Amino acid sequence: MGIRSVLEANFDFEIIDEFLDHYAMMTEIMESLIVDLGNPERFHRSIEELFRIFHNIKSASGYLQIDPMVRLATFAEDALEQLRTSDKLVNDETITWLISVADMFMQWQEDLKMDNELAKVHFSLLILPDMEKE
């Protein structure tokens, strides 16, 4: 039984459908926001928007009890909180890490769409890089 089938067995179809629509919108814009972190003029707007996206994914997936999403979104949100409170821009390693995190969320979007079990999180996503430029 796939993840979508499990969700629909436990939650109202409209809730699942709304989650999937919003989740798709959030995953679509993640990568461009991450790339914008390298641009000093767009950094603050992008970091705030990314923080909001991961917070929303954490909250919605928590409600739906999708534990892998909750854990990765929480980890990413915590990392972004560190960046929000710093005056330094992110380094390339952090941008690459965040793109890998976004790719994982994109994979999960496909898994949900195809009613597959969620792909496993690669352990490298759970290792936080040194995040700031010197």
Side-chain angles (χ1 to χ4, degrees), residues 10-126:
N10 294 313
F11 297 96
D12 182 83
F13 173 77
E14 288 181 24
I15 291 171
I16 304 303
D17 201 39
E18 186 174 331
F19 168 75
L20 294 174
D21 287 346
H22 285 97
Y23 183 74
M25 287 187 296
M26 289 184 285
T27 57
E28 277 182 29
I29 63 170
M30 271 185 200
E31 191 167 327
S32 64
L33 290 169
I34 293 166
V35 170
D36 280 350
L37 291 175
N39 181 332
E41 295 168 5
R42 295 185 182 147
F43 176 80
H44 289 291
R45 180 189 61 81
S46 295
I47 200 80
E48 292 297 328
E49 186 68 16
L50 283 166
F51 181 85
R52 186 185 64 77
I53 286 170
F54 285 114
H55 180 78
N56 287 341
I57 290 173
K58 179 183 79 172
S59 297
S61 59
Y63 176 77
L64 295 173
Q65 301 168 8
I66 309 172
D67 293 335
M69 281 186 186
V70 173
R71 286 192 298 271
L72 187 56
T74 300
F75 193 64
E77 180 187 37
D78 290 347
L80 290 169
E81 179 61 23
Q82 289 178 28
L83 293 172
R84 288 170 75 198
T85 59
S86 172
D87 291 333
K88 296 181 180 177
L89 296 176
V90 298
N91 59 28
D92 291 341
E93 183 182 7
T94 302
I95 291 173
T96 300
W97 176 77
L98 283 167
I99 288 173
S100 296
V101 169
D103 289 345
M104 185 79 252
F105 282 102
M106 294 284 287
Q107 176 61 54
W108 285 336
Q109 179 185 353
E110 189 65 25
D111 292 342
L112 288 163
K113 188 185 328 178
M114 301 303 292
D115 197 24
N116 295 330
E117 288 193 34
L118 292 182
K120 302 288 185 210
V121 175
H122 192 274
F123 74 91
S124 66
L125 296 180
L126 303 177

